[in-house]
Amino acid sequence: MGFSRATLGFTGLFFMAASILLIFLTLLGGARNSNPLNQIYFLQADTGNIPGAPTTSRWTFWNLCGVTNGRNDCGETHVDFPFDPQATVTSTRPKMSLRSLSGRTKHYFLTSRFMFPFLIIGLFFAVCSFFTGMLAICTRIASYLSGFLAWIALTFQVITTCLMTAVFVQGRNAFENNGQNASLGVKAFAFMWTASVCQFLSCLLYCLGGAVGRKDTSGGYSGRKERRRGFFSSQRSNSVRSQKKEANNYA
């Protein structure tokens, strides 16, 4: 039994809403010291052997945070805070000096800075796809439009997630090579990759909804047309037969 356009559109809308929620949680992680935002981070590393640095540091989109009772302890926020382990921890703390990270600060800095704008662009198209997805339940054109917007959002989401994975996995390895324990933020990585999968499913379902709607519409129209032709053709044949019968009677 095939799925209707309404079912496919609603399911695509559900997956898009889930992806938007996960992206917002990752984006706002570290922005405030409140639950659950104080549990979301990209990388955690032991930095107690670095003068002026906290015992344990966590990197988010907004700041380099310390850790208190297993939660982020962030201070003043900065938009698009870069992952630059050799940068100043705060305005009054000295710079970090990591042998395995020296000479690669531009690599980490630029890669992490590009994550934020790509995420914002992808989130914009995801929200647009969510609103047009409400109409995708009813119309075929809205289904294709929502699928197109979801595809654009998915492209930027995958780029952002790949950049995040590359820079923070390399950063973790560099910390470990420097003799410092480091680990990735499970929640942030799980949220971002799950959001990518949700957007892929949403894009697929929107496109299937448009295709199913087109098939049903064309089939219904042609069926009605054939029924009309059959009705009138039967009337015409009955009329011809009656005329022949009357002619035979007169003869």
Side-chain angles (χ1 to χ4, degrees):
M1 181 178 180
F3 292 100
S4 65
R5 184 197 310 135
T7 302
L8 293 170
F10 179 79
T11 309
L13 185 68
F14 171 79
F15 280 115
M16 183 56 67
S19 71
I20 293 174
L21 175 62
L22 294 175
I23 292 171
F24 266 115
L25 287 174
T26 306
L27 177 64
L28 298 177
R32 297 185 60 182
N33 294 327
S34 59
N35 191 47
L37 301 181
N38 57 5
Q39 302 180 48
I40 301 172
Y41 58 92
F42 297 117
L43 177 67
Q44 174 179 295
D46 293 340
T47 53
N49 60 342
I50 300 175
T55 304
T56 304
S57 299
R58 288 179 175 177
W59 279 265
T60 68
F61 269 128
W62 303 92
N63 204 348
L64 174 64
C65 307
V67 180
T68 302
N69 297 325
R71 305 295 176 92
N72 298 346
D73 185 9
C74 304
E76 183 180 358
T77 58
H78 307 275
V79 178
D80 196 9
F81 188 83
F83 176 58
D84 190 2
Q86 287 186 320
T88 306
V89 179
T90 66
S91 59
T92 59
R93 289 174 178 169
K95 293 184 178 180
M96 297 182 179
S97 56
L98 303 176
R99 294 188 302 275
S100 60
L101 293 172
S102 61
R104 302 199 68 187
T105 55
K106 292 291 180 66
H107 164 75
Y108 293 111
F109 180 87
L110 294 176
T111 306
S112 60
R113 287 300 291 268
F114 274 107
M115 287 169 48
F116 190 84
F118 281 145
L119 183 65
I120 295 299
I121 295 172
L123 183 60
F124 170 77
F125 284 103
V127 172
C128 292
S129 178
F130 174 79
F131 284 111
T132 57
M134 297 179 182
L135 299 176
I137 300 175
C138 307
T139 64
R140 184 177 69 254
I141 296 177
S143 295
Y144 284 125
L145 177 60
S146 301
F148 176 70
L149 294 173
W151 178 79
I152 298 177
L154 174 63
T155 301
F156 284 98
Q157 174 66 19
V158 170
I159 293 174
T160 303
T161 307
C162 290
L163 289 175
M164 178 191 72
T165 303
V167 67
F168 288 109
V169 167
Q170 292 176 6
R172 179 202 61 184
N173 296 338
F175 273 111
E176 290 180 346
N177 293 335
N178 197 60
Q180 298 165 261
N181 293 327
S183 60
L184 299 175
V186 176
K187 291 184 175 63
F189 278 81
F191 289 167
M192 290 294 283
W193 281 110
T194 304
S196 300
V197 174
C198 287
Q199 289 186 1
F200 172 76
L201 293 176
S202 178
C203 179
L204 181 63
L205 290 168
Y206 282 144
C207 294
L208 288 176
V212 168
R214 182 177 182 180
K215 182 179 179 181
D216 293 343
T217 302
S218 61
Y221 176 76
S222 62
R224 290 193 299 270
K225 190 173 182 180
E226 289 176 359
R227 286 195 295 271
R228 289 198 199 99
R229 288 179 178 176
F231 176 75
F232 288 114
S233 62
S234 62
Q235 281 188 335
R236 190 180 300 112
S237 62
N238 292 334
S239 176
V240 171
R241 283 196 297 269
S242 62
Q243 290 177 1
K244 288 182 178 180
K245 185 180 295 185
E246 291 178 358
N248 292 333
N249 292 334
Y250 284 118

